[in-house]
Amino acid sequence: MLSKAYEPQEVEAHWRKHWEEGKTFTPDMSAPGDPYSIVIPPPNVTGILHIGHALNQTLQDVLCRHARQKGKNVLWLPGTDHAGIATQNVVERALAKEGKRRHDLGREAFIERVWEWKKQYGGQILEQIKSLGASVDWTREAFTMDDNLARAVRKVFVQLYKDGLIYKGKYIVNWCPRCHTALADDEVDHIDSKGMLWHIRYDFADGSGSVTIATTRPETMLGDSAVCVHPEDERYAGLAGKKLILPIANREIPLIADRYVDREFGTGCLKVTPCHDPNDWNLGHAHNLEFIQVIDDNGNMVQDETLCGKYAGMSREECRKAIVEELRENGHLVAEEPLSHSVGCCYRCKTVIEPYVSDQWFVALSKLAPRARAAVPSDIKIYPENWTKTYYNWLDNIRDWCISRQIWWGHRIPAWTCPDCGELIVSETDPTACTKCGCTNLEQDPDVLDTWFSSALWPFSTMGWPEQTDTLKKFYPTSVLVTGFDILFFWVARMIIMGQQFMGEVPFKEVYIHALVRDAQGRKMSKSLGNGIDPQDMVQKYGADSLRFTLTAFAAMGRDIRMSEERIEGYRHFMNKVWNAARFALMNLPEDAAPKAVDLGAVKGLHHQWILNRLEEVKAEEDAALESYRFNDAAQCVYKFLWNEFCDWYLELIKADMREEGERKEEAQYVLYTVLKEILLLLHPMAPFVTAEVWSSLPGNEGTDIATELYPAERPECRKPLEADQMMFLQEAISAIRTIRAELNIKPSYKLTVVLRPASDEQAALLESGRGFFDLARLESLTIDANAHAPKASASNVVRGCEVIVLLDGAVDFQAELARLDKEIGKVDKDLVALNGKLSNENFVMRAPAELVESEKARQADLMDKKAKMQALQIRFKEAMGE
RNA sequence: GGGCGGUUAGCUCAGUUGGUAGAGUAUCGGUCUUACACACCGACUGUCGGGGGUUCGAGUCCCUCACCGCCCACCA
């Protein structure tokens, strides 16, 4: 017997072990089903599971488990990402505690140290994924630094280089002076901040006056090589070509004109520092200016007094203050005004980015983008569709991708230079000698690749590429990619590009972009805010199924999810409901074997016909919802069916059957058994643990695993909408009695005497056949008779034309009943007014579909009938009061 | 500067071809009815952000305004 309340801990541990050790989710390569595959978006090895991962993985698991139920051959491939900068930072921090820096260890020892760290802590996030019940194939677990993935990286790099799609060059890049590396454009966060705009006067060399420039970065003026104005700016007409004296540095620089300058901003006069601003870099090339570097890779002014004078060696922040001070003193500072602008920051450490000129490697995304753009939507469908536009927008404005990073942890760039002749060798295998001069002292490029470079290969590198493995043949391209929109650019677009380039085929057929999880106030969850809901805590407290079901139920498309603990708690109630419904079933089913089968298309009980009909509808509904990624609809429809129909009505209705013996009981047992089993199957993708446990405890299921069962097949013979509607009428009548009882404050334990006056002979027959169901309203006696006299002291309502009359004895509050009737008639009136208006509108009657007009007329007739009957009842009630 | 999303019951949100506004939660009243108090029975709650338009009919389609949020972008 199951315990009274559902206790997830032991159940989850048991099934996790069962699934892992039994390799339940390792696909059988020779199985006949159509392949269905997903590669997991690899979390960082440094990461701990946050609620966003939990959502991401839950949705994938729902899809995978559902696909298995539909007979597909499913591979869900797990793994982690080496996360270059992030991981290096973590290990460097650990080293710092020992008072060491990475340079103290040297490159090899440091990398060794990172691997040790990975061995010790890198599995943590995988353990957390396991706790959610993710049905991944653990035998195929991958890591972006695995040998075969490294091989894939090299092959791709070399091939792109040969095709001219990777190139090396000196460029101005986003440099993080703290991480000491270049960053890609999209690794820069633009953070709004309040700064200053300083207006500085530059005098003409010939003493003929001056211009005033405006800048937010006065410290860079030491590297100025021009001042630029718009050629059509009348304020500066005819001045281009004159020389200016750069204050402080006292150098001569030219005044140039370029249409790039915005006349509206500041003074319309721009200082040009080609080495320290990406726009100025372009201007510098266009106008053949001097390139003067005054800031070094640490973000300090260069140690060169001829360039920086007394500012040499100062930090850029100190230098800014000091220069402003000097300008103020010598009268060149014309004005200073506060300015809100956005400042580029390192996405990892938030240090302000320094534009920095250096040798870097680039992928020519501008050449690769058009093909990737064309793949959507013909080869790849994006859900929700709105993201398609964002995807296009990014690809249409793409710039080349800086892929070199000046750190140690990552895939080292397979390029060597010859110290003798300067030859650059790019090769899949380590070269032993220079291909040009034979020199054997080749030096490998010290840089490593951007983490996203290896991630971009993930869908095929994890399947064994460049080998033509069976896995690759069977499971590439994958069926769907499930991810958050935050990495649409970092990752999704680049995977598409690499897939097309190296597999000749897109890496996935569909992309499902899910919401971001936010806290109850709508803020992004983050460590610094301390508002994160830790999925591990939630699993501990409420069980994995509760968390999973909550995430699924709230995963409506295109919306952020606001998560709060109360919601998870709410869905724990649901898991308990499932559990207890099962306990009830077990009490009422044979212990040792499945109940005797009956022909479900021929069951007699109206309640059985109703629930079986509803089951068919729900089966179709959930399937359709999941096929179109409407996770919330799938979860909701099962939730409502189980709780509001199966538990609230059906289980109550069959209690009477279970007290009997023989055919009636057997029929109820078999329908109960069938419906419960199929509900468990419907629920299983979202709540794998509780359903697995209940499933295996059902008679006849010993030793079976719900995870390998098929989706319940359709049962067309059980589609009985007419009978279902009849049953619903009975439920409405019962509810009407319950409402009267509640509103007149009659105790539930008090047994009522009820008279039903049916509107037709058919209704009378139906009520008579369903007489037993009225136990649910707790009755003393039930009279079904169209001609029965309504006792004067009675409360009443009308359901589908049938008068429902509850006898009252003297203890009842007559005023309360009168008020209740008034209210009820009021409601009918309100509906009737709207309806009459509609039907008296000729346009409506003429133009609306005939069906609709008919049904509205029927409703009108029904309401009028109800109103008339209720008024009659009210009049008689008033008479009774008078007596 | 471009692009996207949101504004529906006190709160958090559903609402798939336009056709009687829903759920959970909260609140109120009642119940130990032998699966479940993590429960049961019932009640209450809405000019669907404002304005305009299309339509017989709009939460749903179009326009416009307001406020909130996100993404992208080299305005110093």
Side-chain angles (χ1 to χ4, degrees):
Chain A
M1 192 63 206
L2 305 176
S3 63
K4 188 167 174 179
Y6 176 50
E7 307 287 352
Q9 303 303 344
E10 274 181 42
V11 170
E12 291 178 9
H14 169 259
W15 285 101
R16 256 164 53 194
K17 195 166 165 229
H18 184 266
W19 289 327
E20 280 162 35
E21 290 179 358
K23 297 199 166 88
T24 310
F25 304 121
T26 298
D28 171 0
M29 296 299 281
S30 60
D34 290 341
Y36 182 93
S37 57
I38 296 182
V39 288
I40 209 166
N44 292 353
V45 272
T46 54
I48 51 163
L49 194 79
H50 62 67
I51 197 87
H53 292 125
L55 170 68
N56 180 254
Q57 280 146 32
T58 297
L59 297 182
Q60 290 173 69
D61 197 40
V62 169
L63 291 174
C64 285
R65 287 182 186 268
H66 183 250
R68 271 184 217 104
Q69 289 183 323
K70 301 293 297 236
K72 305 246 174 82
N73 196 354
V74 176
L75 169 63
W76 185 16
L77 203 153
T80 47
D81 192 289
H82 69 280
I85 298 177
T87 308
Q88 175 154 332
N89 283 350
V90 167
V91 177
E92 280 188 290
R93 269 200 296 277
L95 274 181
K97 282 185 188 156
E98 302 167 18
K100 289 186 202 156
R101 292 175 313 124
R102 65 167 146 134
H103 294 278
D104 298 335
L105 296 189
R107 186 163 187 148
E108 276 184 32
F110 179 77
I111 290 174
E112 193 53 42
R113 182 76 187 242
V114 180
W115 276 106
E116 273 170 35
W117 184 93
K118 192 258 172 185
K119 236 180 259 169
Q120 198 169 351
Y121 302 105
Q124 193 184 349
I125 192 152
L126 295 171
E127 282 307 310
Q128 293 173 328
I129 292 174
K130 286 179 186 175
S131 74
L132 287 172
S135 62
V136 298
D137 178 5
W138 290 110
T139 68
R140 283 180 165 86
E141 186 193 319
F143 178 51
T144 49
M145 290 285 279
D146 285 344
D147 288 345
N148 64 314
L149 277 80
R151 212 147 49 94
V153 165
R154 276 203 175 191
K155 193 176 172 74
V156 165
F157 186 96
V158 172
Q159 192 60 49
L160 288 175
Y161 179 77
K162 284 183 181 158
D163 294 343
L165 294 166
I166 281 183
Y167 60 91
K168 189 183 182 182
K170 218 177 192 34
Y171 286 91
I172 190 160
V173 293
N174 309 294
W175 182 267
C176 176
R178 201 216 64 85
C179 298
H180 234 263
T181 181
L183 296 172
D185 290 331
D186 50 16
E187 286 173 319
V188 177
D189 284 343
H190 294 272
I191 299 175
D192 283 334
S193 65
K194 290 198 178 80
M196 246 344 147
L197 187 64
W198 285 277
H199 295 240
I200 303 167
R201 195 186 77 236
Y202 286 18
D203 297 325
F204 284 113
D206 59 8
S208 65
S210 65
V211 295
T212 300
I213 60 94
T215 182
T216 55
R217 300 200 58 199
E219 70 276 15
T220 64
M221 70 186 285
L222 298 171
D224 281 4
S225 46
V227 167
C228 190
V229 294
H230 194 280
E232 283 148 35
D233 192 331
E234 289 172 7
R235 292 172 294 179
Y236 305 109
L239 295 177
K242 294 188 74 168
K243 298 284 186 218
L244 292 155
I245 302 290
L246 180 64
I248 295 179
N250 285 317
R251 279 189 282 117
E252 271 198 7
I253 54 172
L255 181 73
I256 59 170
D258 194 288
R259 312 188 72 87
Y260 161 75
V261 175
D262 178 358
R263 278 171 281 184
E264 306 298 316
F265 189 89
T267 60
C269 202
L270 170 75
K271 73 184 208 49
V272 183
T273 321
C275 277
H276 297 288
D277 183 283
N279 304 310
D280 295 4
W281 167 265
N282 293 334
L283 283 175
H285 281 285
H287 295 268
N288 237 332
L289 301 174
E290 247 190 293
F291 285 72
I292 307 165
Q293 189 195 323
V294 294
I295 299 175
D296 68 13
D297 57 351
N298 291 312
N300 296 329
M301 308 312 290
V302 293
Q303 288 287 2
D304 182 340
E305 290 188 9
T306 59
L307 285 178
C308 296
K310 62 182 174 184
Y311 302 108
M314 257 189 204
S315 78
R316 50 188 175 160
E317 293 83 7
E318 287 168 350
C319 180
R320 177 179 300 179
K321 273 189 213 160
I323 282 191
V324 168
E325 207 40 55
E326 181 172 348
L327 290 169
R328 185 174 289 132
E329 281 168 12
N330 67 20
H332 280 275
L333 185 64
V334 177
E336 44 189 332
E337 56 174 314
L339 179 78
S340 294
H341 62 140
S342 70
V343 176
C345 297
C346 172
Y347 80 128
R348 278 290 159 208
C349 70
K350 303 299 172 199
T351 302
V352 174
I353 290 301
E354 187 60 46
Y356 183 71
V357 178
S358 52
D359 259 324
Q360 303 291 345
W361 292 87
F362 294 85
V363 174
L365 287 186
S366 44
K367 291 183 189 162
L368 293 162
R371 190 175 169 199
R373 188 194 200 280
V376 176
S378 57
D379 299 333
I380 300 175
K381 287 199 175 48
I382 298 180
Y383 297 87
E385 211 186 333
N386 331 1
W387 288 107
T388 305
K389 222 170 174 175
T390 309
Y391 173 80
Y392 290 154
N393 200 294
W394 189 71
L395 287 176
D396 290 342
N397 297 297
I398 202 150
R399 299 168 64 196
D400 287 351
W401 172 21
C402 176
I403 49 169
S404 41
R405 296 289 178 275
Q406 289 67 44
I407 56 173
W408 289 347
W409 174 239
H411 295 282
R412 192 148 172 192
I413 292 179
W416 288 260
T417 26
C418 172
D420 292 351
C421 70
E423 178 74 357
L424 181 67
I425 301 158
V426 173
S427 163
E428 271 185 63
T429 51
D430 294 8
T432 49
C434 175
T435 45
K436 197 172 172 191
C437 71
C439 165
T440 53
N441 287 327
L442 296 174
E443 284 167 15
Q444 186 171 8
D445 193 305
D447 292 355
V448 301
L449 289 166
D450 179 4
T451 297
W452 295 103
F453 191 90
S454 51
S455 315
L457 319 182
W458 186 251
F460 50 90
S461 63
T462 52
M463 292 190 188
W465 190 86
E467 301 297 321
Q468 286 303 309
T469 61
D470 290 344
T471 304
L472 210 51
K473 281 179 204 147
K474 194 170 184 73
F475 290 110
Y476 189 95
T478 61
S479 308
V480 60
L481 179 80
V482 178
T483 186
F485 59 79
D486 46 338
I487 53 175
L488 185 64
F489 308 137
F490 284 115
W491 192 45
V492 180
R494 290 171 185 164
M495 275 194 289
I496 294 173
I497 287 169
M498 293 301 189
Q500 289 179 319
Q501 200 67 16
F502 292 92
M503 298 299 295
E505 206 174 356
V506 294
F508 25 75
K509 295 166 205 146
E510 298 186 335
V511 176
Y512 177 73
I513 299 196
H514 62 244
L516 230 55
V517 183
R518 297 176 180 282
D519 71 2
Q521 280 79 49
R523 297 173 305 180
K524 199 168 174 175
M525 290 196 178
S526 71
K527 264 190 214 157
S528 53
L529 278 170
N531 61 345
I533 289 185
D534 180 358
Q536 296 306 122
D537 284 355
M538 297 302 106
V539 169
Q540 280 278 312
K541 277 175 88 167
Y542 306 108
D545 289 334
S546 306
L547 175 63
R548 291 172 55 115
F549 203 89
T550 309
L551 290 167
T552 311
F554 282 92
M557 274 199 223
R559 261 254 208 174
D560 291 345
I561 301 176
R562 295 192 185 200
M563 183 49 70
S564 69
E565 194 166 337
E566 291 83 77
R567 290 166 181 243
I568 302 169
E569 194 177 356
Y571 281 107
R572 176 186 55 173
H573 299 343
F574 179 61
M575 298 308 148
N576 192 54
K577 193 73 179 174
V578 175
W579 185 257
N580 274 291
R583 289 180 67 219
F584 173 81
L586 289 174
M587 286 172 60
N588 288 287
L589 291 174
E591 271 183 38
D592 304 326
K596 194 174 126 194
V598 303
D599 179 357
L600 291 171
V603 289
K604 292 187 213 81
L606 198 60
H607 54 325
H608 301 319
Q609 294 173 349
W610 163 72
I611 200 78
L612 287 167
N613 177 72
R614 282 291 299 134
L615 179 63
E616 289 310 300
E617 291 172 357
V618 173
K619 273 148 70 170
E621 206 179 328
E622 178 182 321
D623 191 36
L626 287 180
E627 292 296 331
S628 50
Y629 302 106
R630 286 180 289 116
F631 294 97
N632 55 325
D633 287 347
Q636 285 307 333
C637 80
V638 190
Y639 178 96
K640 285 182 185 169
F641 179 60
L642 180 124
W643 200 313
N644 303 119
E645 298 185 288
F646 184 67
C647 290
D648 288 350
W649 284 100
Y650 185 70
L651 295 187
E652 295 302 325
L653 288 167
I654 60 170
K655 281 178 181 173
D657 299 331
M658 294 304 179
R659 284 191 285 267
E660 306 284 319
E661 287 302 328
E663 208 177 306
R664 182 175 162 191
K665 181 172 182 173
E666 284 171 6
E667 182 175 86
Q669 282 181 321
Y670 189 68
V671 177
L672 169 65
Y673 181 72
T674 305
V675 176
L676 177 61
K677 272 175 67 168
E678 298 199 351
I679 287 178
L680 292 174
L681 289 166
L682 296 183
L683 214 46
H684 180 254
M686 302 153 220
F689 293 113
V690 70
T691 50
E693 183 69 11
V694 169
W695 178 274
S696 70
S697 67
L698 288 177
N701 278 358
E702 295 81 0
T704 65
D705 180 358
I706 193 172
T708 59
E709 297 286 331
L710 291 178
Y711 199 78
E714 284 180 44
R715 211 176 273 117
E717 70 275 19
C718 288
R719 289 257 183 191
K720 290 183 181 169
L722 192 69
E723 286 79 358
D725 186 62
Q726 290 176 339
M727 186 64 220
M728 278 158 68
F729 165 63
L730 296 176
Q731 291 171 354
E732 285 163 33
I734 292 165
S735 288
I737 299 169
R738 285 173 171 172
T739 302
I740 290 171
R741 181 197 289 279
E743 294 197 339
L744 297 181
N745 278 319
I746 302 167
K747 283 192 173 302
S749 51
Y750 181 82
K751 296 203 165 189
L752 299 172
T753 299
V754 170
V755 174
L756 297 177
R757 297 204 300 198
S760 65
D761 289 347
E762 295 81 49
Q763 212 175 57
L766 175 58
L767 288 167
E768 200 57 59
S769 75
R771 175 179 278 280
F773 299 142
F774 282 80
D775 285 353
L776 265 55
R778 303 217 99 213
L779 302 187
E780 177 64 35
S781 76
L782 176 66
T783 306
I784 301 166
D785 182 355
N787 302 312
H789 281 287
K792 285 179 177 168
S794 60
S796 52
N797 207 331
V798 179
V799 176
R800 296 197 192 183
C802 171
E803 289 172 276
V804 176
I805 299 158
V806 177
L807 265 64
L808 305 177
D809 56 19
V812 156
D813 181 346
F814 282 73
Q815 288 301 334
E817 169 59 5
L818 211 52
R820 204 186 61 78
L821 286 170
D822 275 337
K823 195 182 82 185
E824 205 68 40
I825 293 168
K827 269 195 234 168
V828 175
D829 259 334
K830 202 177 145 197
D831 285 355
L832 216 43
V833 168
L835 209 48
N836 288 340
K838 212 172 184 179
L839 285 166
S840 61
N841 180 344
E842 279 182 32
N843 280 322
F844 174 75
V845 180
M846 269 166 53
R847 303 197 192 193
E851 285 173 11
L852 184 71
V853 176
E854 280 315 303
S855 77
E856 294 290 73
K857 278 184 180 167
R859 245 186 82 219
Q860 184 190 38
D862 185 61
L863 284 172
M864 280 167 55
D865 173 67
K866 177 164 180 171
K867 185 179 175 185
K869 282 174 174 161
M870 297 216 48
Q871 279 174 331
L873 290 161
Q874 191 180 31
I875 287 164
R876 212 184 38 253
F877 190 74
K878 280 180 182 161
E879 285 171 10
M881 282 174 71
E883 283 167 12

